[in-house]
């Protein structure tokens, strides 16, 4: 029952224990021959982080160091934001991203804060990639994000880093309609137009709401709860 879950959205009470947990987890995966991308946190701008921005950056710092101490080949980054331009506290910037100046985004975006911090930390704290999510019909949003982050990274004299879209799908209004397939194909093509997006993952494969009274509930998934194929699957 999701209502009974307690989400750990605050900093750990002991960084010694946290660092040990990270090293142990990474070490086990390394022993299996796995050196994945480690994305630190998920959607902290959507209420899944209730600490401060400074505390989130401290968590990233500890995690990234512990990952690299254990596996030099591992790739670590973050933060898997809901929106690339947002910070902690939903609604800090309006959704009409096309009218936001770089200065406005720079004041709020958690990913901007992460890049700022990486410039100060230097090579002691790895930042191998940055990541965010995208549920939009506007390709210009990807172009705006790529341009902003590329310029910011170059401004520090840092080497370019890849961008990952770790969750994406179409807008709610087009889901389970004939428009969803073409929109998904257009979104997919958008990732490669600017050259900065190196990877992406559709969110998600199958419905999980077992209590829904309807078979199709306009959710993100490509397959319904009972295995029926949705338009998105046919892309």
């Amino acid at each position: 029952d999701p209502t009974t879950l307690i989400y750990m959205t605050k900093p750990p009470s002991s960084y010694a224990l946290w660092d040990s947990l990270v090293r142990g987890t990474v070490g086990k995966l390394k022993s299996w021959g796995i050196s994945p991308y480690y994305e630190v946190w998920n959607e902290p701008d959507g209420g899944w982080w209730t600490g401060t921005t400074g505390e989130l950056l401290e968590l990233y710092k500890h995690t990234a160091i512990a990952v690299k101490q254990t596996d030099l080949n591992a790739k670590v980054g973050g933060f898997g934001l809901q929106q690339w331009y947002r910070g902690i506290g939903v609604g800090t910037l309006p959704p009409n991203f096309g009218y936001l100046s770089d200065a406005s985004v720079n004041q709020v975006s958690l990913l901007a804060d992460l890049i700022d911090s990486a410039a100060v930390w230097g090579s002691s704290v790895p930042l191998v990639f940055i990541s965010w999510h995208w549920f939009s019909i506007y390709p210009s949003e990807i172009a705006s994000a790529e341009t902003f982050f590329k310029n910011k990274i170059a401004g520090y004299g840092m080497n370019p880093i890849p961008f990952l879209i770790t969750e994406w799908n179409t807008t709610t209004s087009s889901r389970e309609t004939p428009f969803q397939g073409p929109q998904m194909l257009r979104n997919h093509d958008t990732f490669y137009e600017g050259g900065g997006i190196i990877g992406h993952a559709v969110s998600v494969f199958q419905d999980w709401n077992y209590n829904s009274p309807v078979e199709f509930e306009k959710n993100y998934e490509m397959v319904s709860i009972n295995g029926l194929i949705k338009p998105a699957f046919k892309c």
Side-chain angles (χ1 to χ4, degrees), residues 9 21 27 33 37 40 57 59 78 86-87 92 116 126 136 139 141 155 161 187 189 191 214 230:
T9 61
L21 173 64
Y37 285 81
V40 179
L57 293 168
L59 178 76
R86 283 207 312 215
T92 48
D116 289 338
S136 176
E141 183 176 346
I161 60 175
N187 286 0
D189 291 343
F191 297 136
V214 296
K230 297 186 180 187

mmCIF file of all heavy atoms in Angstrom, residues 9 21 27 33 37 40 57 59 78 86-87 92 116 126 136 139 141 155 161 187 189 191 214 230:
data_model
loop_
_atom_site.group_PDB
_atom_site.id
_atom_site.type_symbol
_atom_site.label_atom_id
_atom_site.label_comp_id
_atom_site.label_asym_id
_atom_site.label_seq_id
_atom_site.Cartn_x
_atom_site.Cartn_y
_atom_site.Cartn_z
ATOM 1 N N THR A 9 13.499 11.139 2.473
ATOM 2 C CA THR A 9 13.760 12.294 1.614
ATOM 3 C C THR A 9 14.622 13.338 2.288
ATOM 4 O O THR A 9 14.707 14.469 1.836
ATOM 5 C CB THR A 9 12.435 12.953 1.192
ATOM 6 O OG1 THR A 9 11.737 13.404 2.367
ATOM 7 C CG2 THR A 9 11.554 11.975 0.438
ATOM 8 N N LEU A 21 27.521 2.227 3.011
ATOM 9 C CA LEU A 21 26.463 1.591 2.232
ATOM 10 C C LEU A 21 26.725 1.743 0.735
ATOM 11 O O LEU A 21 26.588 0.779 -0.032
ATOM 12 C CB LEU A 21 25.113 2.211 2.590
ATOM 13 C CG LEU A 21 23.915 1.784 1.737
ATOM 14 C CD1 LEU A 21 23.634 0.298 1.918
ATOM 15 C CD2 LEU A 21 22.676 2.600 2.107
ATOM 16 N N GLY A 27 30.565 -1.939 -4.680
ATOM 17 C CA GLY A 27 31.511 -3.052 -4.674
ATOM 18 C C GLY A 27 30.866 -4.356 -5.104
ATOM 19 O O GLY A 27 31.475 -5.151 -5.838
ATOM 20 N N GLY A 33 30.751 -7.590 -12.339
ATOM 21 C CA GLY A 33 31.153 -7.077 -13.638
ATOM 22 C C GLY A 33 30.269 -5.961 -14.153
ATOM 23 O O GLY A 33 30.219 -5.707 -15.360
ATOM 24 N N TYR A 37 25.643 3.529 -14.674
ATOM 25 C CA TYR A 37 25.475 4.944 -14.359
ATOM 26 C C TYR A 37 24.776 5.031 -13.004
ATOM 27 O O TYR A 37 23.727 4.420 -12.804
ATOM 28 C CB TYR A 37 24.604 5.640 -15.423
ATOM 29 C CG TYR A 37 25.299 5.893 -16.732
ATOM 30 C CD1 TYR A 37 25.428 4.891 -17.681
ATOM 31 C CD2 TYR A 37 25.823 7.147 -17.028
ATOM 32 C CE1 TYR A 37 26.063 5.119 -18.893
ATOM 33 C CE2 TYR A 37 26.455 7.396 -18.238
ATOM 34 C CZ TYR A 37 26.572 6.368 -19.162
ATOM 35 O OH TYR A 37 27.201 6.596 -20.365
ATOM 36 N N VAL A 40 22.341 10.093 -8.738
ATOM 37 C CA VAL A 40 22.123 10.453 -7.339
ATOM 38 C C VAL A 40 20.783 11.174 -7.205
ATOM 39 O O VAL A 40 20.601 12.276 -7.705
ATOM 40 C CB VAL A 40 23.263 11.338 -6.813
ATOM 41 C CG1 VAL A 40 23.012 11.717 -5.347
ATOM 42 C CG2 VAL A 40 24.601 10.620 -6.952
ATOM 43 N N LEU A 57 23.434 18.799 -2.186
ATOM 44 C CA LEU A 57 24.764 18.856 -2.783
ATOM 45 C C LEU A 57 25.783 18.102 -1.925
ATOM 46 O O LEU A 57 26.693 17.456 -2.454
ATOM 47 C CB LEU A 57 25.188 20.309 -2.973
ATOM 48 C CG LEU A 57 24.375 21.091 -4.019
ATOM 49 C CD1 LEU A 57 24.678 22.580 -3.933
ATOM 50 C CD2 LEU A 57 24.654 20.571 -5.424
ATOM 51 N N LEU A 59 25.049 15.515 -0.052
ATOM 52 C CA LEU A 59 24.760 14.108 -0.305
ATOM 53 C C LEU A 59 25.408 13.666 -1.613
ATOM 54 O O LEU A 59 25.993 12.572 -1.693
ATOM 55 C CB LEU A 59 23.252 13.888 -0.380
ATOM 56 C CG LEU A 59 22.818 12.455 -0.684
ATOM 57 C CD1 LEU A 59 22.969 11.580 0.556
ATOM 58 C CD2 LEU A 59 21.380 12.407 -1.194
ATOM 59 N N GLY A 78 23.652 13.276 -11.682
ATOM 60 C CA GLY A 78 22.314 13.503 -11.134
ATOM 61 C C GLY A 78 21.700 14.736 -11.760
ATOM 62 O O GLY A 78 22.250 15.304 -12.693
ATOM 63 N N ARG A 86 14.193 23.632 -12.676
ATOM 64 C CA ARG A 86 13.597 23.826 -11.359
ATOM 65 C C ARG A 86 14.561 23.523 -10.219
ATOM 66 O O ARG A 86 15.547 22.810 -10.371
ATOM 67 C CB ARG A 86 12.351 22.955 -11.191
ATOM 68 C CG ARG A 86 11.162 23.511 -11.897
ATOM 69 C CD ARG A 86 9.854 23.105 -11.278
ATOM 70 N NE ARG A 86 9.715 21.696 -10.978
ATOM 71 C CZ ARG A 86 8.555 21.054 -11.096
ATOM 72 N NH1 ARG A 86 7.489 21.681 -11.516
ATOM 73 N NH2 ARG A 86 8.462 19.780 -10.784
ATOM 74 N N GLY A 87 14.213 24.069 -9.065
ATOM 75 C CA GLY A 87 14.934 23.798 -7.841
ATOM 76 C C GLY A 87 14.018 23.185 -6.813
ATOM 77 O O GLY A 87 12.892 22.787 -7.118
ATOM 78 N N THR A 92 8.859 27.218 -8.492
ATOM 79 C CA THR A 92 9.772 28.348 -8.362
ATOM 80 C C THR A 92 9.974 29.064 -9.681
ATOM 81 O O THR A 92 10.348 30.227 -9.706
ATOM 82 C CB THR A 92 11.134 27.882 -7.820
ATOM 83 O OG1 THR A 92 11.563 26.741 -8.565
ATOM 84 C CG2 THR A 92 11.019 27.491 -6.353
ATOM 85 N N ASP A 116 27.821 24.344 -10.708
ATOM 86 C CA ASP A 116 28.581 25.337 -9.943
ATOM 87 C C ASP A 116 29.463 24.650 -8.898
ATOM 88 O O ASP A 116 30.635 24.990 -8.723
ATOM 89 C CB ASP A 116 27.639 26.311 -9.233
ATOM 90 C CG ASP A 116 26.938 27.263 -10.180
ATOM 91 O OD1 ASP A 116 27.449 27.466 -11.300
ATOM 92 O OD2 ASP A 116 25.878 27.797 -9.805
ATOM 93 N N PRO A 126 33.655 13.627 -8.732
ATOM 94 C CA PRO A 126 33.297 13.440 -10.145
ATOM 95 C C PRO A 126 31.858 13.858 -10.452
ATOM 96 O O PRO A 126 30.949 13.644 -9.656
ATOM 97 C CB PRO A 126 33.477 11.930 -10.350
ATOM 98 C CG PRO A 126 33.287 11.342 -8.990
ATOM 99 C CD PRO A 126 33.846 12.350 -8.032
ATOM 100 N N SER A 136 6.803 16.312 -22.398
ATOM 101 C CA SER A 136 6.452 17.551 -23.077
ATOM 102 C C SER A 136 6.211 17.302 -24.556
ATOM 103 O O SER A 136 6.632 16.289 -25.115
ATOM 104 C CB SER A 136 7.575 18.578 -22.911
ATOM 105 O OG SER A 136 7.314 19.753 -23.637
ATOM 106 N N PRO A 139 9.726 20.380 -28.465
ATOM 107 C CA PRO A 139 11.140 20.054 -28.680
ATOM 108 C C PRO A 139 12.086 21.183 -28.291
ATOM 109 O O PRO A 139 13.237 20.941 -27.925
ATOM 110 C CB PRO A 139 11.213 19.768 -30.182
ATOM 111 C CG PRO A 139 9.825 19.409 -30.573
ATOM 112 C CD PRO A 139 8.934 20.232 -29.693
ATOM 113 N N GLU A 141 12.206 22.788 -25.739
ATOM 114 C CA GLU A 141 12.628 22.689 -24.340
ATOM 115 C C GLU A 141 13.950 21.947 -24.227
ATOM 116 O O GLU A 141 14.821 22.324 -23.431
ATOM 117 C CB GLU A 141 11.558 21.991 -23.503
ATOM 118 C CG GLU A 141 11.929 21.925 -22.023
ATOM 119 C CD GLU A 141 10.833 21.320 -21.176
ATOM 120 O OE1 GLU A 141 9.692 21.194 -21.662
ATOM 121 O OE2 GLU A 141 11.123 20.983 -20.023
ATOM 122 N N GLY A 155 31.670 27.780 -19.748
ATOM 123 C CA GLY A 155 32.057 29.004 -19.065
ATOM 124 C C GLY A 155 33.014 28.771 -17.916
ATOM 125 O O GLY A 155 33.798 29.659 -17.558
ATOM 126 N N ILE A 161 30.243 17.334 -20.685
ATOM 127 C CA ILE A 161 29.731 16.101 -20.095
ATOM 128 C C ILE A 161 28.413 15.742 -20.783
ATOM 129 O O ILE A 161 27.716 16.613 -21.300
ATOM 130 C CB ILE A 161 29.510 16.213 -18.575
ATOM 131 C CG1 ILE A 161 28.492 17.312 -18.249
ATOM 132 C CG2 ILE A 161 30.827 16.458 -17.848
ATOM 133 C CD1 ILE A 161 28.131 17.388 -16.777
ATOM 134 N N ASN A 187 9.479 13.070 -30.266
ATOM 135 C CA ASN A 187 10.281 13.284 -29.059
ATOM 136 C C ASN A 187 11.592 12.510 -29.132
ATOM 137 O O ASN A 187 12.653 13.012 -28.764
ATOM 138 C CB ASN A 187 9.501 12.849 -27.823
ATOM 139 C CG ASN A 187 8.396 13.814 -27.460
ATOM 140 O OD1 ASN A 187 8.204 14.829 -28.131
ATOM 141 N ND2 ASN A 187 7.649 13.502 -26.410
ATOM 142 N N ASP A 189 13.287 11.617 -31.771
ATOM 143 C CA ASP A 189 14.200 12.271 -32.707
ATOM 144 C C ASP A 189 14.807 13.533 -32.105
ATOM 145 O O ASP A 189 15.963 13.876 -32.396
ATOM 146 C CB ASP A 189 13.473 12.629 -34.000
ATOM 147 C CG ASP A 189 13.082 11.396 -34.805
ATOM 148 O OD1 ASP A 189 13.640 10.323 -34.534
ATOM 149 O OD2 ASP A 189 12.215 11.521 -35.679
ATOM 150 N N PHE A 191 15.901 14.112 -29.194
ATOM 151 C CA PHE A 191 17.055 13.887 -28.323
ATOM 152 C C PHE A 191 18.378 13.960 -29.084
ATOM 153 O O PHE A 191 19.424 14.239 -28.506
ATOM 154 C CB PHE A 191 16.950 12.525 -27.632
ATOM 155 C CG PHE A 191 15.767 12.406 -26.715
ATOM 156 C CD1 PHE A 191 14.985 11.268 -26.710
ATOM 157 C CD2 PHE A 191 15.436 13.440 -25.859
ATOM 158 C CE1 PHE A 191 13.890 11.163 -25.873
ATOM 159 C CE2 PHE A 191 14.341 13.349 -25.021
ATOM 160 C CZ PHE A 191 13.569 12.199 -25.018
ATOM 161 N N VAL A 214 -10.792 1.292 -14.576
ATOM 162 C CA VAL A 214 -10.778 1.257 -16.033
ATOM 163 C C VAL A 214 -9.486 0.618 -16.531
ATOM 164 O O VAL A 214 -8.450 0.659 -15.856
ATOM 165 C CB VAL A 214 -10.916 2.672 -16.635
ATOM 166 C CG1 VAL A 214 -12.260 3.259 -16.269
ATOM 167 C CG2 VAL A 214 -9.785 3.575 -16.175
ATOM 168 N N LYS A 230 -0.835 -0.481 -25.894
ATOM 169 C CA LYS A 230 -1.257 0.896 -26.106
ATOM 170 C C LYS A 230 -0.585 1.463 -27.362
ATOM 171 O O LYS A 230 0.380 0.887 -27.870
ATOM 172 C CB LYS A 230 -0.871 1.745 -24.891
ATOM 173 C CG LYS A 230 -1.537 1.332 -23.592
ATOM 174 C CD LYS A 230 -1.206 2.337 -22.496
ATOM 175 C CE LYS A 230 -1.855 1.959 -21.186
ATOM 176 N NZ LYS A 230 -1.683 2.993 -20.157
#
